[in-house]
Amino acid sequence: MTLPVLPIALIQHAMSDDLEKNIETSCRMIAEARALGAKLIVLPELHRSPYFCKSQNPAFFEYAEPLRGPTFQALSKAASMHGVVLVGSIFEARQPGLASNTAIVIETNGELAGHYRKMHIPDDPGYNEKFYFSPGDLGFHPIDTSLGKLGVLVCWDQWFPEAARLMALAGAQVLIYPTAIGWDVADSAEEQQRQLDAWRIMHQSHAVANGLPVLACNRVGYEPDPNGNQHPAKFWGHSLVTGPQGEVLGEATEDEAIVVQDLDLNQTADVRRMWPFLRDRRIDAYDGLLSRSLCGEDE
Amino acid sequence: MTLPVLPIALIQHAMSDDLEKNIETSCRMIAEARALGAKLIVLPELHRSPYFCKSQNPAFFEYAEPLRGPTFQALSKAASMHGVVLVGSIFEARQPGLASNTAIVIETNGELAGHYRKMHIPDDPGYNEKFYFSPGDLGFHPIDTSLGKLGVLVCWDQWFPEAARLMALAGAQVLIYPTAIGWDVADSAEEQQRQLDAWRIMHQSHAVANGLPVLACNRVGYEPDPNGNQHPAKFWGHSLVTGPQGEVLGEATEDEAIVVQDLDLNQTADVRRMWPFLRDRRIDAYDGLLSRSLCGEDE
């Protein structure tokens, strides 16, 4: 089967405390991306609000919304108006005291094609996500759309080759990561560069190891920490498009941007003939991957 | 526990049809690396012979040798003479019709510290390894030495994040890959660059995902294909040392070289406090990693 070339766009912008304005910005940029030819358009993680996980504050649960809440409603309208597939991200309220960090995929007709709940949840200074989000309970399943099977993962998942592999094994044709990652402004320039490089390397490596294109869409802008500004963040942008050999096809800077790129999904079959890694996985010897630790007293 | 800084060296050289000369070259460069301060010294994959897997030729089984055969004997002498730990690589003859691609680790006293049999075996044009090597049957276990626990893997393993992860979970303090990888000289310059970049990215990604330094030691030189020269190879060198954030600490060119670098194994603990990926692995949701495929009629 010859698939058509798929024009994608990554939208990176800054978020303010004004939720409606954030959604308006996203929708304005979706229209711009469509005008540039994109048919699959990706937004950053938690694009309706500031990145509220810097500290633990129960008040921020007010940002949570149902699966088909205001973000879905606005994106549904944009998807059907422009005839595009959208990948968005919400703080999903499920019941009192239970919320998830959820990616939503919306079809060209405005319907929900599927959703993915972030499986790996970070918790480190400035990223207190375990306070807000229950670990995802839907597993790793690509979402079927009119444009292909989308392996949608979210931010912290990017550091886990296991997640990318499971999506690839399940037939994903492209891996997509909405993200919200930035620098601690107190870190040295060298440390900041190592972190950005490491982030790029991981996305490129998922492409190489699985023979798939990878899209990473990040937010930009400086966001103060409302809790005494202990952990202000400079979100680093650099939204990235790689081909199935990990080659960088498109990349943004630290500024607001729309990255538009044609993806040839047929390349996966060609690359995997040359590098048939899926053929050679030692599934008879991978049991240890289901263990937390294999050393010392843990063994 | 504060570990001392570990000075390592990667030795990359070209191989000829003269097996004794190849071993002599390795031993000469080991002495040079020791003089430069190295205590852990790594050789490329199958460093005693030309890369004979370009085609399927039963005659090349003459290159196979027992675990404690001539390569071990020569390296054992070098290890004890110089007081270094050596990582070598042999075509291991086990019984008639059964051979492995085996890494050997030799202690400072010349004893065999352990061996690892390459688990993932390639088979593509110019790399007919499935003809020569049975898939490794020892699993993924770091080898204990006086310098630390060495996560020794071999070449094709580098494309499998599973292998790196299993070594890390089992307590490896550094990942080490003897390799023999090169360009098909018929490929375009762009394709050659993508392949080299992909190779570097994978090694860097194992460092990032596992918070470990990674050493990759490759051969150099043009080797014709004895079988009608259908698949001559230009081995690309570029032996690589990365720190535990994937940062490149040292790298060779395409020429014969000794890469010497101090590794601070304490950095792993610091990096993993900042990026505690091992903490957050979703071992409850990784069962699919033990499957060959999770899509279509395979599911």
Side-chain angles (χ1 to χ4, degrees):
Chain A
M1 182 180 62
T2 301
L3 290 160
V5 164
L6 175 59
I8 66 92
L10 310 181
I11 287 176
Q12 66 175 34
H13 64 79
M15 285 68 175
S16 72
D17 291 335
D18 184 338
L19 306 196
E20 284 189 30
K21 180 162 164 272
N22 294 332
I23 288 287
E24 281 170 22
T25 302
S26 295
C27 288
R28 172 178 56 77
M29 293 178 77
I30 289 168
E32 291 172 21
R34 181 68 192 94
L36 293 168
K39 301 212 68 173
L40 171 65
I41 300 174
V42 184
L43 293 165
E45 185 183 16
L46 300 170
H47 50 81
R48 182 170 168 253
S49 69
Y51 183 74
F52 50 86
C53 311
K54 291 195 179 68
S55 52
Q56 299 181 2
N57 185 342
F60 287 133
F61 278 90
E62 284 172 28
Y63 287 154
E65 59 182 316
L67 189 60
R68 290 183 173 80
T71 300
F72 170 78
Q73 296 303 331
L75 295 186
S76 171
K77 203 167 134 185
S80 57
M81 184 194 309
H82 300 297
V84 296
V85 171
L86 293 179
V87 179
S89 166
I90 64 170
F91 180 11
E92 183 195 2
R94 297 170 65 183
Q95 51 170 297
L98 178 58
S100 291
N101 183 326
T102 302
I104 54 176
V105 177
I106 302 170
E107 255 301 347
T108 54
N109 61 3
E111 295 292 314
L112 186 69
H115 60 299
Y116 165 81
R117 294 196 181 115
K118 187 174 183 175
M119 290 288 283
H120 301 94
I121 307 292
D123 210 57
D124 47 296
Y127 297 84
N128 281 260
E129 295 198 17
K130 289 194 198 296
F131 176 72
Y132 295 99
F133 311 125
S134 183
D137 52 346
L138 298 177
F140 302 96
H141 303 288
I143 294 171
D144 259 319
T145 73
S146 57
L147 301 179
K149 294 182 84 163
L150 310 184
V152 179
L153 295 160
V154 178
C155 204
W156 194 241
D157 292 323
Q158 72 216 348
W159 305 106
F160 299 83
E162 293 92 340
R165 183 69 96 198
L166 285 164
M167 284 294 189
L169 292 176
Q173 294 176 287
V174 54
L175 300 177
I176 302 174
Y177 295 82
T179 75
I181 188 165
W183 293 298
D184 183 330
V185 294
D187 276 338
S188 69
E190 292 74 19
E191 176 61 24
Q192 292 187 4
Q193 188 63 49
R194 276 196 297 274
Q195 293 185 8
L196 173 58
D197 288 346
W199 181 81
R200 297 170 85 255
I201 284 164
M202 287 310 301
H203 289 298
Q204 292 177 278
S205 77
H206 301 321
V208 175
N210 298 291
L212 289 176
V214 174
L215 314 179
C217 187
N218 194 23
R219 68 170 65 200
V220 299
Y222 174 86
E223 296 188 24
D225 178 356
N227 184 27
N229 215 25
Q230 291 184 60
H231 296 291
K234 170 82 171 70
F235 291 96
W236 66 46
H238 280 276
S239 293
L240 186 71
V241 182
T242 86
Q245 290 175 289
E247 72 277 24
V248 174
L249 300 176
E251 187 175 7
T253 66
E254 291 168 36
D255 300 322
E256 181 174 297
I258 301 174
V259 181
V260 180
Q261 183 66 43
D262 283 342
L263 293 185
D264 179 357
L265 300 184
N266 278 321
Q267 287 188 337
T268 288
D270 295 337
V271 165
R272 286 187 183 171
R273 282 180 196 185
M274 179 178 72
W275 285 342
F277 308 140
L278 297 190
R279 178 193 68 189
D280 289 338
R281 296 178 63 247
R282 288 297 303 272
I283 56 173
D284 59 308
Y286 289 170
D287 302 53
L289 294 173
L290 306 185
S291 294
R292 186 69 68 205
S293 171
L294 296 168
C295 66
E297 296 181 353
D298 270 338
E299 199 169 7
Chain B
M1 182 180 64
T2 300
L3 291 160
V5 164
L6 175 60
I8 66 93
L10 310 181
I11 287 176
Q12 66 174 34
H13 64 79
M15 286 68 175
S16 72
D17 291 334
D18 184 337
L19 306 195
E20 284 189 29
K21 180 163 164 274
N22 295 332
I23 288 287
E24 281 170 22
T25 302
S26 295
C27 289
R28 172 179 55 75
M29 293 178 78
I30 288 168
E32 291 172 22
R34 180 69 193 96
L36 293 168
K39 300 213 68 173
L40 170 65
I41 301 175
V42 184
L43 294 165
E45 186 184 15
L46 300 170
H47 49 82
R48 181 168 168 254
S49 69
Y51 183 74
F52 51 86
C53 311
K54 289 196 181 65
S55 53
Q56 300 180 3
N57 185 342
F60 287 132
F61 278 90
E62 285 172 28
Y63 288 153
E65 59 182 315
L67 188 61
R68 289 183 174 78
T71 300
F72 170 78
Q73 296 302 331
L75 296 186
S76 171
K77 202 167 136 186
S80 57
M81 184 195 310
H82 300 297
V84 296
V85 170
L86 293 180
V87 179
S89 166
I90 64 170
F91 180 12
E92 183 194 4
R94 298 170 65 183
Q95 52 170 294
L98 177 58
S100 292
N101 184 325
T102 301
I104 54 176
V105 177
I106 302 170
E107 253 303 346
T108 53
N109 61 2
E111 296 291 316
L112 186 69
H115 61 299
Y116 165 81
R117 294 195 180 116
K118 188 175 183 174
M119 291 288 284
H120 300 94
I121 308 292
D123 211 58
D124 46 297
Y127 297 84
N128 282 260
E129 295 198 16
K130 289 193 199 294
F131 177 72
Y132 295 98
F133 311 125
S134 183
D137 51 347
L138 297 177
F140 302 95
H141 303 288
I143 294 171
D144 260 318
T145 73
S146 57
L147 301 179
K149 294 182 84 162
L150 310 185
V152 179
L153 296 159
V154 178
C155 203
W156 193 241
D157 292 323
Q158 72 216 348
W159 305 105
F160 298 83
E162 293 92 341
R165 182 70 97 200
L166 285 164
M167 283 294 189
L169 292 176
Q173 294 176 288
V174 54
L175 300 177
I176 302 175
Y177 295 82
T179 75
I181 188 165
W183 293 298
D184 183 330
V185 295
D187 276 338
S188 69
E190 292 74 20
E191 176 61 23
Q192 292 187 3
Q193 188 62 50
R194 276 196 297 275
Q195 292 185 9
L196 172 58
D197 288 345
W199 182 79
R200 297 169 84 256
I201 285 164
M202 287 311 301
H203 288 298
Q204 293 177 276
S205 77
H206 300 322
V208 176
N210 298 292
L212 289 175
V214 174
L215 313 180
C217 186
N218 194 23
R219 68 171 65 201
V220 299
Y222 174 87
E223 297 188 24
D225 179 355
N227 184 27
N229 215 25
Q230 290 183 61
H231 296 291
K234 170 81 170 70
F235 291 94
W236 66 48
H238 281 276
S239 293
L240 186 71
V241 182
T242 86
Q245 290 175 289
E247 73 277 23
V248 174
L249 299 177
E251 187 175 6
T253 65
E254 292 169 36
D255 300 323
E256 180 174 297
I258 300 174
V259 181
V260 180
Q261 183 66 45
D262 283 341
L263 292 185
D264 178 358
L265 300 184
N266 278 321
Q267 286 187 339
T268 288
D270 294 338
V271 165
R272 286 187 183 172
R273 283 180 195 185
M274 179 179 72
W275 284 342
F277 307 141
L278 297 190
R279 179 193 68 188
D280 290 337
R281 295 176 65 247
R282 289 297 303 271
I283 56 173
D284 60 309
Y286 288 169
D287 302 54
L289 294 172
L290 306 185
S291 294
R292 186 70 67 205
S293 171
L294 297 169
C295 66
E297 296 181 353
D298 272 337
E299 200 168 6

